Amino acid sequence: MQMIWEQIEITFAQAKEAGSYFLFYLLALGLGLMIAWDRYGTGKAGDNWMVEEAKKRIQLWPFLFGLISLLLVVANPIGLWILNKIFPFRGQAEKLWPLLLFLFLIVYGVVCFVSLLGEQGQKNMVVIVFVFLIGLAGSCYGLLSDRQGEEAYSRESEAVSVVKEIFSREPEHQSAPLLAPAKLLEYTAVYEPGIQLLYGKDMYMPYLDLGIMDTYPEELSGVYEAMQSPRENLELLSEMAQLFGCGVMVLDYFETAPSQIGQFVLYGQTQDYLIYKTAG
């Protein structure tokens, strides 16, 4: 059951990364529930702010369908457990999210909300505000990311297992940042958040998150450039990794890799990566 709850948390996180539209889904859902309460409730609303005729024309089934999908499928551990027994989908639970009709219900909710307003000026202002807020909610990182499922990172997972083996044998390295190629960093940031990284994707693809301006030392830009061709920049990478206190350095695999680079010795290698650690 713990695995099921972890899958739910991962699904919410991945949906947020692709665009933080869940808040707007809840707002649209709340609007539908409020209309249903006002329409079928026994009490009188009194001086209601909603336009009565527009309120009566709003269809409630889209809100009901989204709510049922949310409760019975996406946020239901038993439902996920049953689906997992029928066919394995571990690591791909986010594919269930289209059942929520994210964009459809958000747009429908906005249209319903606008239709409840009386003045055209108010409608125009609400539309502009919604467009602005929804644009801010979806981060550029999620829209531009080419991240795939965990199964596409099998080689990265193999390299990270070697790194974790080093950590288990020499725990002092675990608190030091990891220097590694971009794809390995992306895998580690998502699936091994406990490993500290020297820099993230926002360093070499700036302005990915609106309102967030991460600053790095200028030397790290040179480190990233050197990582693109490690064979020609071994000494530089070794010096910079030592300067920033890295205990482990992972490089793209190349033939004739030396067994030692400065203070770093070759600990192991995989099909795509070379894993070095500090000597001693």
Side-chain angles (χ1 to χ4, degrees), residues 14-30:
Q14 291 177 341
K16 182 180 184 300
E17 180 188 31
S20 306
Y21 302 125
F22 186 67
L23 173 61
F24 292 90
Y25 174 83
L26 292 180
L27 291 175
L29 185 62

Side-chain angles (χ1 to χ4, degrees), residues 111-128:
V111 172
C112 292
F113 185 82
V114 171
S115 67
L116 299 175
L117 300 177
E119 300 180 4
Q120 186 62 39
Q122 293 177 336
K123 295 181 179 181
N124 295 338
M125 180 62 66
V126 167
V127 170
I128 293 174

Side-chain angles (χ1 to χ4, degrees), residues 234-250:
L234 293 177
E235 293 299 328
L236 173 61
L237 291 172
S238 172
E239 293 174 1
M240 298 306 293
Q242 186 177 1
L243 174 65
F244 287 103
C246 298
V248 178
M249 176 175 63
V250 181

